[in-house]
Amino acid sequence: MSEKVFISPGKYVQGKNVIDKTGEYVKPLGHSALVIADKLVWGIAADRVVKSLEQVGITAVKVEFQGEASKNEVNRIADHGRSVDIVIGVGGGKTLDTAKAVNELLGASVVIIPTTASTDAPTSALSVLYTDEGAFDTYSFFSKNPSLILVDTKVISQAPPLFLSSGIADAMATWIEARAVIEARATTMAGGLPTLAAEAIASKCEEVLFDYGLQAYESVKRKVVTPALEAVVEANTLLSGLGFESGGLAGAHAIHNGFTVLEGDIHHLTHGQKVAFGTLVQLALEKRPLTEVERYIDFYLKLDLPVTLEDVKLQEASREDLYRVAQAATKEGETAHNLPFAVTADDVLDAILAADQYSQAYKAKMGYKN
């Protein structure tokens, strides 16, 4: 592959209470909508979405998401929407990934309304699908990106701070992974080499997070919308979404996917929490200087993100268990092979243990208590 490819959603809208303008923004797309949200999100946001749709004459079919972005769930929901021309996903990453996969079956226009800034899933033309039991299954690639993204920063400010910090962790991987893909001249999720635009966006994403991430985190603790929060929500959602898809994934997300082969408390962690540790593993693989690694460790600790194996609930994991993670992270087709050097399971195991040790040493040096 020698061509550069950049892809993006049709429109991105962000602001306070924008969810109440859903009908206004969706109206050009059709007359009937399948609205997907989980039980909790219906009360938080999805009922407001339906009300706004009905105010402009769009009929809505309501379906409750059952919690796992699996092929069976996608097929179940699609059966409810065979006659609609718009699919609207309201909620977190798995709901949104499910909505995109449902839309691919129905051939409608998809609208994504995240209620947290916890992942960079909203803007992309792909979904991460899992088995019904929650193990990583596959990346599912679609013919086009969402038609519309609506991001209500007031809604996001009311979510638990963990969701924002998780989104920051996911977004922090964007530049680190894109940088590796650019160096390797590897193929991105967009289907080509990274563009200059993707490189600039991914780099800007990290810059915004280091500049405003801690202020934004404090803002959501008080449930207020600040300029810092607006900046970080855009970085978590738009910059990271465009940056990872057209800039590329590498080691951090491969480690995240590797973790799905294990059982236990690690599965109670968010996507971003696991990506945070995966990012440190990639930095170890890349032989980055300790000063650079410690900059990320320090930032993650201030955001209450995991940086050690104990933090990701793997303090009891055997070497054999961690080797299984490393094997899964380096299986054929996994994004670890987008790094600009050959990577084996042995390499990844060593990097996992090294990242854990670097973080333990930094915690001890700085007086952090476990």
Side-chain angles (χ1 to χ4, degrees):
M1 171 62 70
S2 59
E3 298 88 1
K4 293 183 174 185
V5 179
F6 182 89
I7 57 177
S8 67
K11 182 179 285 188
Y12 178 90
V13 181
Q14 176 181 313
K16 289 174 70 171
N17 298 316
V18 76
I19 205 168
D20 295 320
K21 298 180 181 178
T22 301
E24 175 187 326
Y25 284 107
V26 169
K27 194 173 183 179
L29 301 176
H31 304 286
S32 59
L34 177 68
V35 183
I36 305 164
D38 66 32
K39 189 173 183 179
L40 180 64
V41 167
W42 276 108
I44 294 171
D47 284 330
R48 290 168 63 190
V49 168
V50 171
K51 180 181 178 182
S52 182
L53 294 172
E54 291 174 343
Q55 285 173 344
V56 299
I58 298 173
T59 58
V61 178
K62 298 164 63 170
V63 180
E64 185 177 309
F65 174 60
Q66 298 296 328
E68 195 53 75
S70 68
K71 291 173 183 175
N72 287 334
E73 180 69 351
V74 168
N75 290 328
R76 180 188 73 82
I77 293 174
D79 285 339
H80 290 273
R82 294 297 176 187
S83 61
V84 303
D85 41 27
I86 311 162
V87 175
I88 302 178
V90 189
K94 289 193 174 184
T95 304
L96 306 182
D97 275 355
T98 300
K100 285 185 280 186
V102 167
N103 184 66
E104 189 73 3
L105 294 179
L106 299 182
S109 295
V110 66
V111 176
I112 297 297
I113 305 177
T115 52
T116 69
S118 60
T119 75
D120 51 19
T123 63
S124 70
L126 67 91
S127 290
V128 183
L129 297 181
Y130 298 84
T131 66
D132 291 329
E133 293 72 40
F136 173 73
D137 183 6
T138 186
Y139 289 111
S140 189
F141 297 89
F142 308 130
S143 55
K144 61 180 181 178
N145 294 71
S147 300
L148 172 66
I149 317 291
L150 285 177
V151 184
D152 191 322
T153 45
K154 181 65 174 177
V155 170
I156 285 170
S157 73
Q158 306 305 298
L162 168 63
F163 289 122
L164 187 78
S165 64
S166 295
I168 292 171
D170 195 25
M172 284 296 292
T174 304
W175 171 241
I176 291 169
E177 292 187 289
R179 177 178 63 185
V181 172
I182 291 163
E183 189 177 334
R185 291 185 59 79
T187 300
T188 72
M189 297 294 190
L193 296 175
T195 59
L196 294 174
E199 179 178 353
I201 288 167
S203 177
K204 185 66 176 180
C205 180
E206 180 176 273
E207 179 188 325
V208 169
L209 296 172
F210 271 129
D211 285 349
Y212 300 109
L214 298 181
Q215 288 170 269
Y217 187 48
E218 297 303 324
S219 299
V220 295
K221 288 180 181 178
R222 292 298 292 267
K223 300 187 182 300
V224 293
V225 179
T226 61
L229 180 62
E230 290 279 5
V232 168
V233 167
E234 184 178 341
N236 283 9
T237 311
L238 182 62
L239 301 184
S240 182
L242 298 177
F244 98 78
E245 190 170 30
S246 293
L249 296 178
H253 277 81
I255 301 300
H256 166 275
N257 296 342
F259 283 144
T260 66
V261 304
L262 300 180
E263 297 177 352
D265 289 342
I266 187 170
H267 295 302
H268 297 145
L269 299 181
T270 66
H271 172 86
Q273 286 176 310
K274 288 175 276 190
V275 169
F277 187 78
T279 300
L280 298 178
V281 175
Q282 177 173 326
L283 293 170
L285 273 170
E286 293 178 316
K287 300 192 282 285
R288 296 289 170 183
L290 187 60
T291 52
E292 181 177 342
V293 176
E294 288 187 342
R295 185 185 186 208
Y296 292 95
I297 294 171
D298 180 72
F299 187 62
Y300 292 153
L301 286 170
K302 287 174 179 172
L303 290 165
D304 303 310
L305 289 163
V307 297
T308 66
L309 286 172
E310 182 177 1
D311 292 342
V312 293
K313 315 299 182 186
L314 293 180
Q315 65 270 28
E316 303 297 330
S318 66
R319 193 178 181 92
E320 290 73 24
D321 284 337
L322 296 177
Y323 188 69
R324 286 170 53 219
V325 172
Q327 286 179 309
T330 54
K331 69 181 182 181
E332 186 177 353
E334 193 45 90
T335 58
H337 299 298
N338 286 341
L339 288 162
F341 45 82
V343 180
T344 67
D346 284 329
D347 296 332
V348 171
L349 174 60
D350 286 347
I352 288 171
L353 296 171
D356 176 61
Q357 187 62 34
Y358 297 158
S359 294
Q360 285 192 45
Y362 184 78
K363 277 185 163 183
K365 180 172 75 173
M366 301 304 292
Y368 280 91
K369 295 179 180 178
N370 288 327

